[in-house]
Amino acid sequence: MIFGALAVFLAWNIPAAAETWRGIEVAPEHRCSPYNRRDYRYSGSTEKEIVERIGAVYGPYSGTCFNSTDETDIEHIIAVSEAHDSGLCARSREVRRQFASDIRNLTLAAPELNRNSKRGKDAADWIPEHNACWFAARIVEVRRLYGLTIDRREMEALEQVLRDCPDTEMQPLICHRKFPRRVKVRDASTKDSEVLRRYDDNGNGRITCKEARRHGIAPVQSDHPAYVFMHDGDGDGVVCE
């Protein structure tokens, strides 16, 4: 009986082995220390490195080629807040800054996509239209590299993508959609001038999502006269979704 009781005691007190998926520990997100965005600043040369690595000012999430980096944001594939809650909360500031500037976790995206559609979401809630296999594989690579955990919902979402991938390379650099031309006030027709007068509150020749929402026209479809004065970063014909 003593040996039986001892066996039961040991069985209850030996920690269970952590579940892993593709070399990553599966665990709920946990904020073990306060999150401070200033701990995740990237270096000034980061944008240039991204362009050199991709080979163009290109947004792989949407398949969009841009005229310059003035039209894009630097985008963390694994959001820094997500990484913080997946293990970096227990790491040093040096490691956090290294993560923030790691080119393997960085790409370019239209501001609307980066700040609205994707923002701090993980793959359980957001997968890109283009280059989904590359995106999923890069998440796995970076989580392994930094010893980050992954929650079950994201694991299942990524597995669903990866099991159907013939390869995980970024698709060839072909622009599926062109960035729409911005019409300048001095080139605008009388009709265009009326559109700007109605919706361009600050008179800079462009119409922002904030202005569109203020005037009750958002989301703006491609057939709306305001559309040509707006930035459709993902080229889907709708701005300010």
Side-chain angles (χ1 to χ4, degrees):
M1 291 294 293
I2 293 175
F3 290 109
L6 179 60
V8 171
F9 174 81
L10 291 174
W12 278 98
N13 287 276
I14 294 175
E19 179 185 359
T20 61
W21 170 78
R22 295 179 182 257
I24 304 169
E25 181 181 347
V26 180
E29 293 176 12
H30 173 58
R31 183 158 294 186
C32 58
S33 66
Y35 170 68
N36 188 335
R37 186 63 179 82
R38 288 177 294 180
D39 290 345
Y40 293 94
R41 293 175 177 171
Y42 43 75
S43 64
S45 62
T46 299
E47 191 171 59
K48 181 180 178 181
E49 292 177 37
I50 296 170
V51 173
E52 290 175 350
R53 187 181 181 96
I54 295 176
V57 185
Y58 176 71
Y61 294 163
S62 60
T64 303
C65 282
F66 298 92
N67 297 320
S68 75
T69 54
D70 291 340
E71 298 166 355
T72 62
D73 278 353
I74 294 174
E75 149 67 12
H76 286 89
I77 297 169
I78 301 175
V80 292
S81 59
E82 169 77 15
H84 188 83
D85 295 346
S86 299
L88 289 189
C89 59
R91 309 292 291 277
S92 67
R93 285 187 177 179
E94 288 71 22
V95 172
R96 295 176 191 177
R97 287 172 183 163
Q98 179 185 339
F99 175 86
S101 295
D102 195 322
I103 198 72
R104 287 162 291 197
N105 189 50
L106 293 168
T107 189
L108 299 176
E112 288 87 347
L113 191 157
N114 177 45
R115 303 173 197 179
N116 298 315
S117 302
K118 182 175 184 289
R119 207 167 182 179
K121 297 175 183 175
D122 66 22
D125 297 310
W126 189 88
I127 297 285
E129 178 183 358
H130 295 274
N131 287 298
C133 291
W134 164 83
F135 173 79
R138 191 55 61 85
I139 289 174
V140 172
E141 176 187 354
V142 173
R143 284 191 182 274
R144 284 177 183 162
L145 182 65
Y146 284 90
L148 303 181
T149 59
I150 188 168
D151 65 41
R152 186 169 299 279
R153 288 183 65 243
E154 183 175 15
M155 176 198 77
E156 292 172 350
L158 290 174
E159 182 61 33
Q160 186 173 354
V161 173
L162 290 168
R163 69 188 178 197
D164 295 326
C165 291
D167 64 69
T168 57
E169 296 299 314
M170 185 184 291
Q171 295 170 10
L173 191 65
I174 299 173
C175 293
H176 299 277
R177 301 181 177 98
K178 292 295 184 181
F179 183 76
R181 182 177 66 90
R182 288 194 180 108
V183 181
K184 298 179 181 179
V185 176
R186 62 176 177 272
D187 297 329
S189 65
T190 302
K191 182 178 179 180
D192 290 337
S193 297
E194 173 62 24
V195 172
L196 288 172
R197 185 192 65 76
R198 182 179 300 177
Y199 303 118
D200 177 20
D201 295 335
N202 61 8
N204 67 351
R206 301 176 185 175
I207 299 171
T208 65
C209 286
K210 184 176 180 180
E211 290 168 333
R213 293 188 182 102
R214 183 183 299 132
H215 291 280
I217 61 172
V220 180
Q221 307 285 337
S222 59
D223 58 355
H224 193 284
Y227 177 84
V228 294
F229 298 97
M230 304 186 75
H231 179 14
D232 184 2
D234 58 9
D236 65 353
V238 184
V239 187
C240 313
E241 297 95 323

